[in-house]
Amino acid sequence: MAEGSADIAASIAELQALLLGTERIDGFLHEMAMLAAGTLGDSLSCGITLQPDGRPLTAASSDQSASQVDELQYGLHQGPRSGHRHAPSS
């Protein structure tokens, strides 16, 4: 099996173990944010945003920085998770 395929298989197995080993959805989302941030790099943060009723809500984050950035984006209606869609510029 190629190294890339082995990495993907290991990641899927880790995510499956996380899902099966977590009792509540909020705990699962927090652990998934931690896993994503750790997988991508030690100095990175991860936030998971849901949009109930079309409004962004941080459901989980890997750390306080991710939560603060999300809240700032929501307040400014900016960023990828702001929930505010901008028309393309011409």
Side-chain angles (χ1 to χ4, degrees):
M1 179 173 359
E3 185 175 324
S5 297
D7 290 344
I8 291 170
S11 295
I12 290 171
E14 189 171 2
L15 189 57
Q16 181 182 22
L18 179 65
L19 179 60
L20 295 173
T22 308
E23 292 183 25
R24 296 174 38 131
I25 188 70
D26 57 339
F28 169 72
L29 292 174
H30 172 74
E31 292 298 324
M32 189 166 74
M34 297 288 291
L35 177 62
T39 298
L40 296 173
D42 292 332
S43 62
L44 298 179
S45 297
C46 176
I48 298 175
T49 300
L50 302 178
Q51 289 190 298
D53 302 323
R55 295 175 185 239
L57 169 71
T58 302
S61 59
S62 61
D63 56 42
Q64 190 64 29
S65 294
S67 294
Q68 290 172 340
V69 168
D70 283 349
E71 292 304 317
L72 182 62
Q73 288 181 104
Y74 304 155
L76 296 174
H77 300 289
Q78 298 292 319
R81 299 187 234 169
S82 68
H84 183 73
R85 304 271 187 238
H86 296 282
S89 302
S90 350

